Amino acid sequence: MIEKLKKILALIKKEFIITWMDPKSRRIIIALPIVQLILFSYAITMEVKNIDVVVVDQDNSTESRELISRFDLSPQFRNIYRVKNMKQMQNKLDNKDANMGLYINNDFSTNIISHTPTDVLIITDGRQTNSAAIVAGYVSQIVSDYSQEIAPTNGVKINVVTRNWYNPNLEYRWFILTVIIAMLASVITLILTALSIAREREMGTFDQLIVSPLSSVDILAGKTVPPLIIAMALTCIMTFVIKIFFRMPFEGSIVLFLISMFVSLLSLVGVGLYISSICRTQQQAILGVITFMMPAVLLSGFISPIEDMPVFLQYLTLLNPIRFFMALTRGIFLKGMNFADVSMNLVPLIITATITLSLACWSFKKRQN
Amino acid sequence: MKILRALVKKEILQIVRDPSSIVISFVLPLISILIYMYGINLDFITVNVGIKNDDNSPEIAQLANSFGNSKYINSEISDDMNNLTQKLIRSKIKGMVVIPNDFSTKLEQKQSADLMVIADGAEVNTATHLQNYILQISNQWLASSKYAQLMSPQIVNPQIRTWYNQDSNGYYFILPGSIAITMTLIGILLTALVVAREWERGTMESLLSSNVTRMHIVLGKYIPYFILGMLSMIFNLILCIGVFRVPFHGSYLVLTFVSSLFLFASMGIGLLISTVLKNQFFASQISIGIGFLPALLLSGFVFPIGSMPEILQYITRILPPRYFITFIESEFMAGTVPSIAIKSSLFLLILGTLLFWAVYKNTDMRLSND
Amino acid sequence: MDTVTIEHLTKNFRGMTAIDDLSLKIEKGKITGLIGSDGSGKTTLIRLIIGLLLPDHGKISVLGLNPETQKDELNKKIGYMPQKFGLYEDLTVIENLRLYADLKNVAHDFEKLLEFTNLKKFQTRLAGALSGGMKQKLGLACVLLGSPEFLLLDEPSVGVDPISRRDLMRMVRDLISPETTVLWSTAYLDEAHSFDTAVVLNQGKVIYQGKPYDLAKTTEEFENKVIDLMGGYRKTKSRIAENYIPKNSDVEYTVVADNLEKLYGSFYAVKNNSFKIKKGEIFGLLGPNGAGKSTSFKMMCGLLKPTSGTARIMGVDITEDPENARANLGYMAQKFSLYEALTVKQNLDFFAEIYGIHDENLKKRVDEIIDIFGFFQTRKQKSGELPLGFKQKLSLACALIHNPPILFLDEPTSGVDVITRREFWDHIKSLAQKGVTVLVTTHFMDEAEYCDRISLFYKGDAVAIGTPSALKNKVRAKSMEEAFMKLILESEK
């Protein structure tokens, strides 16, 4: 047994020397994800900011100018372009020089003074429907606030008081960081595992391994551990970077985090090994990785929530390790998930890991014959 | 010319022999369009919400029920706060609405009544949506309730129109946009290994000692994969317009032209990686690392570029999909907008040419000393 | 008139001198043989001549052109066949020919070449599926297209059987015009002996240039003279064998092939192959490329599943218990298959460990191997950067590291210089005396003489088995090479 472990250890050591001792390789594995982590977390937000508005003010009254100034004062809005007519407005919007249009009729001030309900026309750009909806939300809020102020009497009203748990200021960055950590770790794990066997096949070294007294399980074990360790180290470094750079809270337990990470990455290693067991060349392996990864990332729930998908897809995502990996990082970082909460997410991961690893083992053995 | 033709022919034969690249050119678009069509929803979200009603007036019970009647909310009415909190931690629900026991009293007294919303801030987007939904639904309820006459009239009403896409159908923009993401990947991945492969297998040494010039080698890689990429692009468009019936208001000619510029630029990235690294293992890592995630996250497809810090907005300028997404969304929904089409083409052309030049410059015609 | 003039050429790689103040003239219209020990700078010199590498110092003029600045023009006049020839393995024979014809801008007229190379029947086969000898012939055919003025061949005959080797030689001699200059690097001294001029390199310097016939009248003599030039070879006791610890086992026949057969579609790659090898015996598998030697080899060590039949290593069935069977095996593959990204020492460490040598034993054993094989200088170099001969040496070292009672060596001496070849065989013979069973393939007919018994393979069949002298007597041949040819010819009938 010890003898066997020593052999596997030798395999692991070899893998480390190849992927880790080479400075070029090290830079790719560590530096690339860290740069991406910082870049993405600064860049990505679902909020819409710096909105440019094109305005046609037919009324040109104190009241209309007051309404327009509300946009100027709102932090989400940037430039206000005043144009003469609808045609010019259309032109601005067509060319995407402005993100939305505001059209005020010439009876605006008259109506307000006489307390007659009046309309203002808001035009959003449906070429990006998600941004359009968010912009429409902002505008409604501004207009309705204005409307409230000029209302003659104080009526009843519902105030919605919101408390955002786990992330009181709704920092988008906190959300996206937990997503990116999981995503980057998954990408590296998949690439490392899927490519390493394909590369040995192409180089001919794989035959040399098979001729040795190592069993296929030994070889697979030797291929499983190094990417696992590298990806875990990478995740820890990224976590550290996050703490330093973004002062993000880490509510949960480190031990649970390590366990979750281990199980998640293990199931991804299984996927990577399975891909590499069916590929002859590195070209095929890399195409295999992307064919798995693209759906897995898109269906992980970070762009669009899982609950919103058709039932069939929801079931399919149960097999998606990236989904649970993200849920776990988010839960542990922000929500301080306890053991019971974590284990609910671990169960599907353990099942996937078992399936993918045995599948890899089986297909690997089959290939040998 | 003859040499170039021979190199292109050779590459095409190789593509045909290992059909994995052909498969990827058509399977990846299919998978991705299906996912974007059925799995991604960027417009409205259905949120699971727990409702706790502490006010026992029958009027307010209606309010509690009206949340569940909205298509945006799946509600669950419960009096057990601990149970709801537990569910929130486990992400079974994404928020709670608590109606305080003095809610109806306050309304009766013509005062503002507070409605408490607790959202799962860990999922920022859902939390924002939830807040808006609750605001809308509760105001609608108020306007139709017996308290309606106690409300002050809304004088200024915003009338919101969505241009270019009257029904705000998200798929009209998601599907064309997804083409840009898929095609970036295909452009980069198809080409990222092909030069490195020749170095690793030793065929490059033979080419370098034949009559082949640097331009031959570069074009000999660009042309065949460009053809394959364009076929994939056409397949994407057929799926999008023909099968999923996304209305197309633009010009096919302009679309083809800008698409080919976009592909030219994307392939430049892959070929540059391959030419510089000369090693398939590294080339694979880099191409996935910089091909997939930046295209998805920084191209403005899901996350608006306008909201990024200015420096990062400049960084996105090196991403071909950035231009192509703006262009293709506009071309589909608004028809050809000359300024957008020209600007995108110009940037893609510059980017593609720069990359081409870099590939050309980095194509070694001798062995290196390593 | 000289095709190549080199003056005071120097080339360094990362502080190591590959070519050292070398001056050389290569005569036009002659075949010049380039010989020298592994790592003496043969490949580097050829690459410098055609401008694939740039010199650090010195002047080169080739066909009146400067390869540094006029590489494009030079390319039009030369034909270069690198060691790892750039055939596209995923293209067919005819597609490769067409490609290189188009690159050289010559007509698609391959009749004569196909005839010469016997590749006519295989036109539509993928180059990757050809046997080693056929690949080399196809590679040479591609290089000969367009009748280059100057032909540079970097070890074209590595891993090629004697019959194909004659074909290669005939192709060059018959298909070029008398004005064509040929620079032919080779490890086969019989080849070099037949050339017009021989250039012997040692440590980046020319140590001999002249007519081979002037140096020695016969091939054997020539070989000895060259060895003397390269510093001489003293037969020493093989320390590998000295330190070998025999494994006790009462199995008489340590390697047994039992009706091994491999069927691809309707084509028998190996057919009804049976033999028994006694403990301590050196058993040679001989035969032309593509005869099924490597396929047999792969089946014997469990890399390939036989269609029927089996093999037993130390009495253990390879198909039933591959792990235990392989524990007794040292295997050296035909193609270099160690980790190119690892250094020499790291490779040795790795293979020692996976064969169960650990801790102090490991260090001791690896140091010993480094010492015996002379890896001390190169121990920290990546194995991928080593010259071919060094790679082979390292492969052998890795196969021997765990003292296996059985050695499978697939063309161990291909691409190895003449001195190292002798060392290899010293080790092999001494190990056999200690009781190691050796199964070996080779294309050097002089090496075949060292085998205790030989099985001659042709078209998937063992056409003759016996001791070398028995085989020679059978067809009344003077040399092993002659016996080889005659036996194959006989089985054709």
Side-chain angles (χ1 to χ4, degrees), chain A residues 3-11 13 214, chain C residues 347-359 362 366 401-402:
Chain A
E3 176 66 27
K4 217 173 179 64
L5 281 179
K6 278 188 173 166
K7 286 178 186 173
I8 295 174
L9 211 64
L11 280 170
K13 205 170 113 194
L214 297 166
Chain C
N347 265 305
L348 289 168
D349 283 343
F350 173 67
F351 282 101
E353 291 237 40
I354 62 170
Y355 279 98
I357 306 171
H358 309 290
D359 311 322
L362 172 79
V366 169
I401 201 152
H402 59 291

PDB file of all heavy atoms in Angstrom, chain A residues 3-11 13 214, chain C residues 347-359 362 366 401-402:
ATOM      1  N   GLU A   3       3.914   1.336  -0.778  1.00  0.00           N
ATOM      2  CA  GLU A   3       4.625   1.252  -2.044  1.00  0.00           C
ATOM      3  C   GLU A   3       3.810   1.920  -3.159  1.00  0.00           C
ATOM      4  O   GLU A   3       4.312   2.734  -3.933  1.00  0.00           O
ATOM      5  CB  GLU A   3       4.822  -0.245  -2.336  1.00  0.00           C
ATOM      6  CG  GLU A   3       5.465  -0.569  -3.652  1.00  0.00           C
ATOM      7  CD  GLU A   3       6.897  -0.089  -3.732  1.00  0.00           C
ATOM      8  OE1 GLU A   3       7.540   0.022  -2.676  1.00  0.00           O
ATOM      9  OE2 GLU A   3       7.360   0.190  -4.855  1.00  0.00           O
ATOM     10  N   LYS A   4       2.532   1.612  -3.182  1.00  0.00           N
ATOM     11  CA  LYS A   4       1.643   2.153  -4.201  1.00  0.00           C
ATOM     12  C   LYS A   4       1.539   3.676  -4.075  1.00  0.00           C
ATOM     13  O   LYS A   4       1.591   4.405  -5.053  1.00  0.00           O
ATOM     14  CB  LYS A   4       0.267   1.518  -4.031  1.00  0.00           C
ATOM     15  CG  LYS A   4      -0.411   1.250  -5.347  1.00  0.00           C
ATOM     16  CD  LYS A   4      -1.689   0.459  -5.150  1.00  0.00           C
ATOM     17  CE  LYS A   4      -2.393   0.196  -6.463  1.00  0.00           C
ATOM     18  NZ  LYS A   4      -1.649  -0.643  -7.401  1.00  0.00           N
ATOM     19  N   LEU A   5       1.395   4.110  -2.823  1.00  0.00           N
ATOM     20  CA  LEU A   5       1.271   5.550  -2.589  1.00  0.00           C
ATOM     21  C   LEU A   5       2.515   6.290  -3.062  1.00  0.00           C
ATOM     22  O   LEU A   5       2.435   7.365  -3.635  1.00  0.00           O
ATOM     23  CB  LEU A   5       1.045   5.822  -1.102  1.00  0.00           C
ATOM     24  CG  LEU A   5      -0.385   5.592  -0.638  1.00  0.00           C
ATOM     25  CD1 LEU A   5      -0.513   5.856   0.859  1.00  0.00           C
ATOM     26  CD2 LEU A   5      -1.356   6.472  -1.406  1.00  0.00           C
ATOM     27  N   LYS A   6       3.667   5.664  -2.819  1.00  0.00           N
ATOM     28  CA  LYS A   6       4.908   6.309  -3.234  1.00  0.00           C
ATOM     29  C   LYS A   6       4.954   6.465  -4.744  1.00  0.00           C
ATOM     30  O   LYS A   6       5.432   7.462  -5.263  1.00  0.00           O
ATOM     31  CB  LYS A   6       6.109   5.489  -2.746  1.00  0.00           C
ATOM     32  CG  LYS A   6       6.448   5.778  -1.305  1.00  0.00           C
ATOM     33  CD  LYS A   6       7.747   5.105  -0.909  1.00  0.00           C
ATOM     34  CE  LYS A   6       8.153   5.531   0.480  1.00  0.00           C
ATOM     35  NZ  LYS A   6       9.204   4.683   1.034  1.00  0.00           N
ATOM     36  N   LYS A   7       4.466   5.451  -5.434  1.00  0.00           N
ATOM     37  CA  LYS A   7       4.448   5.527  -6.893  1.00  0.00           C
ATOM     38  C   LYS A   7       3.528   6.645  -7.362  1.00  0.00           C
ATOM     39  O   LYS A   7       3.857   7.420  -8.260  1.00  0.00           O
ATOM     40  CB  LYS A   7       3.991   4.192  -7.490  1.00  0.00           C
ATOM     41  CG  LYS A   7       5.044   3.121  -7.414  1.00  0.00           C
ATOM     42  CD  LYS A   7       4.535   1.811  -7.968  1.00  0.00           C
ATOM     43  CE  LYS A   7       5.579   0.728  -7.737  1.00  0.00           C
ATOM     44  NZ  LYS A   7       5.067  -0.586  -8.109  1.00  0.00           N
ATOM     45  N   ILE A   8       2.360   6.706  -6.735  1.00  0.00           N
ATOM     46  CA  ILE A   8       1.422   7.762  -7.120  1.00  0.00           C
ATOM     47  C   ILE A   8       2.029   9.124  -6.807  1.00  0.00           C
ATOM     48  O   ILE A   8       1.902  10.079  -7.583  1.00  0.00           O
ATOM     49  CB  ILE A   8       0.070   7.566  -6.409  1.00  0.00           C
ATOM     50  CG1 ILE A   8      -0.562   6.262  -6.893  1.00  0.00           C
ATOM     51  CG2 ILE A   8      -0.864   8.739  -6.677  1.00  0.00           C
ATOM     52  CD1 ILE A   8      -1.815   5.874  -6.178  1.00  0.00           C
ATOM     53  N   LEU A   9       2.733   9.167  -5.698  1.00  0.00           N
ATOM     54  CA  LEU A   9       3.392  10.413  -5.314  1.00  0.00           C
ATOM     55  C   LEU A   9       4.395  10.847  -6.382  1.00  0.00           C
ATOM     56  O   LEU A   9       4.520  12.028  -6.704  1.00  0.00           O
ATOM     57  CB  LEU A   9       4.103  10.206  -3.978  1.00  0.00           C
ATOM     58  CG  LEU A   9       4.194  11.450  -3.105  1.00  0.00           C
ATOM     59  CD1 LEU A   9       2.809  11.899  -2.701  1.00  0.00           C
ATOM     60  CD2 LEU A   9       5.051  11.174  -1.879  1.00  0.00           C
ATOM     61  N   ALA A  10       5.104   9.848  -6.939  1.00  0.00           N
ATOM     62  CA  ALA A  10       6.063  10.166  -7.992  1.00  0.00           C
ATOM     63  C   ALA A  10       5.355  10.754  -9.200  1.00  0.00           C
ATOM     64  O   ALA A  10       5.822  11.711  -9.821  1.00  0.00           O
ATOM     65  CB  ALA A  10       6.831   8.910  -8.385  1.00  0.00           C
ATOM     66  N   LEU A  11       4.191  10.178  -9.528  1.00  0.00           N
ATOM     67  CA  LEU A  11       3.405  10.702 -10.654  1.00  0.00           C
ATOM     68  C   LEU A  11       3.006  12.146 -10.393  1.00  0.00           C
ATOM     69  O   LEU A  11       3.069  13.008 -11.270  1.00  0.00           O
ATOM     70  CB  LEU A  11       2.126   9.876 -10.836  1.00  0.00           C
ATOM     71  CG  LEU A  11       2.230   8.553 -11.565  1.00  0.00           C
ATOM     72  CD1 LEU A  11       0.926   7.793 -11.419  1.00  0.00           C
ATOM     73  CD2 LEU A  11       2.504   8.796 -13.034  1.00  0.00           C
ATOM     74  N   LYS A  13       4.437  14.265  -8.392  1.00  0.00           N
ATOM     75  CA  LYS A  13       5.609  15.135  -8.416  1.00  0.00           C
ATOM     76  C   LYS A  13       5.955  15.509  -9.858  1.00  0.00           C
ATOM     77  O   LYS A  13       6.206  16.677 -10.173  1.00  0.00           O
ATOM     78  CB  LYS A  13       6.786  14.401  -7.756  1.00  0.00           C
ATOM     79  CG  LYS A  13       7.829  15.327  -7.185  1.00  0.00           C
ATOM     80  CD  LYS A  13       8.822  14.541  -6.334  1.00  0.00           C
ATOM     81  CE  LYS A  13      10.182  14.541  -6.963  1.00  0.00           C
ATOM     82  NZ  LYS A  13      11.084  13.559  -6.375  1.00  0.00           N
ATOM     83  N   LEU A 214       2.202   0.524 -13.136  1.00  0.00           N
ATOM     84  CA  LEU A 214       1.100   1.321 -12.582  1.00  0.00           C
ATOM     85  C   LEU A 214      -0.230   0.827 -13.136  1.00  0.00           C
ATOM     86  O   LEU A 214      -0.327   0.506 -14.316  1.00  0.00           O
ATOM     87  CB  LEU A 214       1.269   2.787 -12.981  1.00  0.00           C
ATOM     88  CG  LEU A 214       2.511   3.502 -12.468  1.00  0.00           C
ATOM     89  CD1 LEU A 214       2.699   4.799 -13.215  1.00  0.00           C
ATOM     90  CD2 LEU A 214       2.379   3.764 -10.989  1.00  0.00           C
TER      91      LEU A 214
ATOM     92  N   ASN C 347      13.717  12.819 -15.120  1.00  0.00           N
ATOM     93  CA  ASN C 347      13.198  11.634 -15.794  1.00  0.00           C
ATOM     94  C   ASN C 347      13.659  10.366 -15.091  1.00  0.00           C
ATOM     95  O   ASN C 347      12.863   9.455 -14.853  1.00  0.00           O
ATOM     96  CB  ASN C 347      13.676  11.610 -17.253  1.00  0.00           C
ATOM     97  CG  ASN C 347      12.657  12.203 -18.211  1.00  0.00           C
ATOM     98  OD1 ASN C 347      11.511  11.774 -18.256  1.00  0.00           O
ATOM     99  ND2 ASN C 347      13.069  13.204 -18.960  1.00  0.00           N
ATOM    100  N   LEU C 348      14.925  10.329 -14.765  1.00  0.00           N
ATOM    101  CA  LEU C 348      15.457   9.138 -14.095  1.00  0.00           C
ATOM    102  C   LEU C 348      14.769   8.933 -12.750  1.00  0.00           C
ATOM    103  O   LEU C 348      14.335   7.827 -12.417  1.00  0.00           O
ATOM    104  CB  LEU C 348      16.975   9.263 -13.902  1.00  0.00           C
ATOM    105  CG  LEU C 348      17.822   9.165 -15.181  1.00  0.00           C
ATOM    106  CD1 LEU C 348      19.248   9.592 -14.912  1.00  0.00           C
ATOM    107  CD2 LEU C 348      17.784   7.744 -15.745  1.00  0.00           C
ATOM    108  N   ASP C 349      14.674  10.012 -11.976  1.00  0.00           N
ATOM    109  CA  ASP C 349      13.999   9.932 -10.672  1.00  0.00           C
ATOM    110  C   ASP C 349      12.590   9.385 -10.832  1.00  0.00           C
ATOM    111  O   ASP C 349      12.157   8.496 -10.104  1.00  0.00           O
ATOM    112  CB  ASP C 349      13.892  11.332 -10.035  1.00  0.00           C
ATOM    113  CG  ASP C 349      15.207  11.778  -9.430  1.00  0.00           C
ATOM    114  OD1 ASP C 349      16.070  10.910  -9.210  1.00  0.00           O
ATOM    115  OD2 ASP C 349      15.365  12.984  -9.181  1.00  0.00           O
ATOM    116  N   PHE C 350      11.891   9.959 -11.813  1.00  0.00           N
ATOM    117  CA  PHE C 350      10.498   9.580 -11.992  1.00  0.00           C
ATOM    118  C   PHE C 350      10.357   8.099 -12.313  1.00  0.00           C
ATOM    119  O   PHE C 350       9.580   7.385 -11.688  1.00  0.00           O
ATOM    120  CB  PHE C 350       9.869  10.434 -13.088  1.00  0.00           C
ATOM    121  CG  PHE C 350       8.488  10.003 -13.460  1.00  0.00           C
ATOM    122  CD1 PHE C 350       7.445  10.128 -12.560  1.00  0.00           C
ATOM    123  CD2 PHE C 350       8.235   9.444 -14.702  1.00  0.00           C
ATOM    124  CE1 PHE C 350       6.172   9.721 -12.887  1.00  0.00           C
ATOM    125  CE2 PHE C 350       6.959   9.031 -15.035  1.00  0.00           C
ATOM    126  CZ  PHE C 350       5.937   9.166 -14.131  1.00  0.00           C
ATOM    127  N   PHE C 351      11.138   7.642 -13.306  1.00  0.00           N
ATOM    128  CA  PHE C 351      10.963   6.247 -13.699  1.00  0.00           C
ATOM    129  C   PHE C 351      11.425   5.292 -12.600  1.00  0.00           C
ATOM    130  O   PHE C 351      10.859   4.219 -12.428  1.00  0.00           O
ATOM    131  CB  PHE C 351      11.636   5.977 -15.041  1.00  0.00           C
ATOM    132  CG  PHE C 351      10.806   6.481 -16.176  1.00  0.00           C
ATOM    133  CD1 PHE C 351      11.090   7.674 -16.805  1.00  0.00           C
ATOM    134  CD2 PHE C 351       9.675   5.775 -16.576  1.00  0.00           C
ATOM    135  CE1 PHE C 351      10.290   8.146 -17.834  1.00  0.00           C
ATOM    136  CE2 PHE C 351       8.861   6.244 -17.599  1.00  0.00           C
ATOM    137  CZ  PHE C 351       9.178   7.435 -18.225  1.00  0.00           C
ATOM    138  N   ALA C 352      12.452   5.694 -11.844  1.00  0.00           N
ATOM    139  CA  ALA C 352      12.867   4.855 -10.729  1.00  0.00           C
ATOM    140  C   ALA C 352      11.715   4.704  -9.736  1.00  0.00           C
ATOM    141  O   ALA C 352      11.393   3.599  -9.288  1.00  0.00           O
ATOM    142  CB  ALA C 352      14.083   5.466 -10.048  1.00  0.00           C
ATOM    143  N   GLU C 353      11.078   5.826  -9.438  1.00  0.00           N
ATOM    144  CA  GLU C 353      10.013   5.783  -8.415  1.00  0.00           C
ATOM    145  C   GLU C 353       8.819   4.955  -8.860  1.00  0.00           C
ATOM    146  O   GLU C 353       8.277   4.189  -8.069  1.00  0.00           O
ATOM    147  CB  GLU C 353       9.560   7.203  -8.071  1.00  0.00           C
ATOM    148  CG  GLU C 353      10.624   7.979  -7.316  1.00  0.00           C
ATOM    149  CD  GLU C 353      10.119   8.486  -5.980  1.00  0.00           C
ATOM    150  OE1 GLU C 353       9.389   7.739  -5.294  1.00  0.00           O
ATOM    151  OE2 GLU C 353      10.428   9.636  -5.641  1.00  0.00           O
ATOM    152  N   ILE C 354       8.400   5.138 -10.113  1.00  0.00           N
ATOM    153  CA  ILE C 354       7.199   4.377 -10.479  1.00  0.00           C
ATOM    154  C   ILE C 354       7.508   2.891 -10.615  1.00  0.00           C
ATOM    155  O   ILE C 354       6.607   2.073 -10.636  1.00  0.00           O
ATOM    156  CB  ILE C 354       6.482   4.904 -11.746  1.00  0.00           C
ATOM    157  CG1 ILE C 354       7.356   4.818 -12.975  1.00  0.00           C
ATOM    158  CG2 ILE C 354       5.969   6.323 -11.553  1.00  0.00           C
ATOM    159  CD1 ILE C 354       6.575   5.095 -14.244  1.00  0.00           C
ATOM    160  N   TYR C 355       8.781   2.551 -10.686  1.00  0.00           N
ATOM    161  CA  TYR C 355       9.115   1.130 -10.665  1.00  0.00           C
ATOM    162  C   TYR C 355       9.492   0.664  -9.256  1.00  0.00           C
ATOM    163  O   TYR C 355      10.071  -0.394  -9.071  1.00  0.00           O
ATOM    164  CB  TYR C 355      10.231   0.816 -11.651  1.00  0.00           C
ATOM    165  CG  TYR C 355       9.735   0.668 -13.064  1.00  0.00           C
ATOM    166  CD1 TYR C 355       9.811   1.714 -13.963  1.00  0.00           C
ATOM    167  CD2 TYR C 355       9.137  -0.525 -13.484  1.00  0.00           C
ATOM    168  CE1 TYR C 355       9.335   1.580 -15.257  1.00  0.00           C
ATOM    169  CE2 TYR C 355       8.651  -0.665 -14.766  1.00  0.00           C
ATOM    170  CZ  TYR C 355       8.756   0.385 -15.657  1.00  0.00           C
ATOM    171  OH  TYR C 355       8.266   0.241 -16.925  1.00  0.00           O
ATOM    172  N   GLY C 356       9.224   1.518  -8.282  1.00  0.00           N
ATOM    173  CA  GLY C 356       9.355   1.059  -6.904  1.00  0.00           C
ATOM    174  C   GLY C 356      10.715   1.255  -6.263  1.00  0.00           C
ATOM    175  O   GLY C 356      11.057   0.546  -5.324  1.00  0.00           O
ATOM    176  N   ILE C 357      11.533   2.166  -6.757  1.00  0.00           N
ATOM    177  CA  ILE C 357      12.788   2.470  -6.065  1.00  0.00           C
ATOM    178  C   ILE C 357      12.601   3.796  -5.338  1.00  0.00           C
ATOM    179  O   ILE C 357      12.255   4.793  -5.973  1.00  0.00           O
ATOM    180  CB  ILE C 357      13.968   2.584  -7.050  1.00  0.00           C
ATOM    181  CG1 ILE C 357      14.047   1.318  -7.895  1.00  0.00           C
ATOM    182  CG2 ILE C 357      15.276   2.823  -6.312  1.00  0.00           C
ATOM    183  CD1 ILE C 357      15.022   1.427  -9.033  1.00  0.00           C
ATOM    184  N   HIS C 358      12.791   3.799  -4.021  1.00  0.00           N
ATOM    185  CA  HIS C 358      12.487   5.010  -3.271  1.00  0.00           C
ATOM    186  C   HIS C 358      13.633   5.413  -2.357  1.00  0.00           C
ATOM    187  O   HIS C 358      14.567   4.658  -2.119  1.00  0.00           O
ATOM    188  CB  HIS C 358      11.220   4.842  -2.446  1.00  0.00           C
ATOM    189  CG  HIS C 358      10.059   4.324  -3.244  1.00  0.00           C
ATOM    190  ND1 HIS C 358       9.439   5.085  -4.200  1.00  0.00           N
ATOM    191  CD2 HIS C 358       9.428   3.127  -3.234  1.00  0.00           C
ATOM    192  CE1 HIS C 358       8.464   4.369  -4.744  1.00  0.00           C
ATOM    193  NE2 HIS C 358       8.441   3.185  -4.181  1.00  0.00           N
ATOM    194  N   ASP C 359      13.493   6.618  -1.842  1.00  0.00           N
ATOM    195  CA  ASP C 359      14.346   7.143  -0.771  1.00  0.00           C
ATOM    196  C   ASP C 359      15.854   6.996  -1.052  1.00  0.00           C
ATOM    197  O   ASP C 359      16.316   7.420  -2.081  1.00  0.00           O
ATOM    198  CB  ASP C 359      13.963   6.508   0.571  1.00  0.00           C
ATOM    199  CG  ASP C 359      12.462   6.590   0.787  1.00  0.00           C
ATOM    200  OD1 ASP C 359      11.895   7.643   0.400  1.00  0.00           O
ATOM    201  OD2 ASP C 359      11.863   5.630   1.273  1.00  0.00           O
ATOM    202  N   LEU C 362      16.891   5.243  -4.156  1.00  0.00           N
ATOM    203  CA  LEU C 362      16.643   6.045  -5.349  1.00  0.00           C
ATOM    204  C   LEU C 362      17.850   6.906  -5.660  1.00  0.00           C
ATOM    205  O   LEU C 362      18.378   6.908  -6.771  1.00  0.00           O
ATOM    206  CB  LEU C 362      15.409   6.919  -5.120  1.00  0.00           C
ATOM    207  CG  LEU C 362      15.122   7.948  -6.207  1.00  0.00           C
ATOM    208  CD1 LEU C 362      14.453   7.278  -7.383  1.00  0.00           C
ATOM    209  CD2 LEU C 362      14.260   9.060  -5.701  1.00  0.00           C
ATOM    210  N   VAL C 366      20.121   6.439  -8.952  1.00  0.00           N
ATOM    211  CA  VAL C 366      20.122   7.479  -9.986  1.00  0.00           C
ATOM    212  C   VAL C 366      21.528   8.050 -10.161  1.00  0.00           C
ATOM    213  O   VAL C 366      22.006   8.225 -11.286  1.00  0.00           O
ATOM    214  CB  VAL C 366      19.094   8.585  -9.663  1.00  0.00           C
ATOM    215  CG1 VAL C 366      19.285   9.783 -10.577  1.00  0.00           C
ATOM    216  CG2 VAL C 366      17.681   8.050  -9.791  1.00  0.00           C
ATOM    217  N   ILE C 401      16.650   1.118 -15.147  1.00  0.00           N
ATOM    218  CA  ILE C 401      16.865   1.677 -13.822  1.00  0.00           C
ATOM    219  C   ILE C 401      16.397   0.769 -12.693  1.00  0.00           C
ATOM    220  O   ILE C 401      16.958   0.774 -11.605  1.00  0.00           O
ATOM    221  CB  ILE C 401      16.249   3.081 -13.727  1.00  0.00           C
ATOM    222  CG1 ILE C 401      16.874   3.853 -12.586  1.00  0.00           C
ATOM    223  CG2 ILE C 401      14.744   3.023 -13.579  1.00  0.00           C
ATOM    224  CD1 ILE C 401      16.864   5.327 -12.785  1.00  0.00           C
ATOM    225  N   HIS C 402      15.372  -0.034 -12.952  1.00  0.00           N
ATOM    226  CA  HIS C 402      14.836  -0.840 -11.844  1.00  0.00           C
ATOM    227  C   HIS C 402      15.320  -2.281 -11.898  1.00  0.00           C
ATOM    228  O   HIS C 402      14.680  -3.170 -11.335  1.00  0.00           O
ATOM    229  CB  HIS C 402      13.312  -0.781 -11.844  1.00  0.00           C
ATOM    230  CG  HIS C 402      12.699  -1.269 -13.115  1.00  0.00           C
ATOM    231  ND1 HIS C 402      12.815  -0.589 -14.301  1.00  0.00           N
ATOM    232  CD2 HIS C 402      11.968  -2.364 -13.385  1.00  0.00           C
ATOM    233  CE1 HIS C 402      12.171  -1.257 -15.233  1.00  0.00           C
ATOM    234  NE2 HIS C 402      11.659  -2.339 -14.713  1.00  0.00           N
TER     235      HIS C 402
END
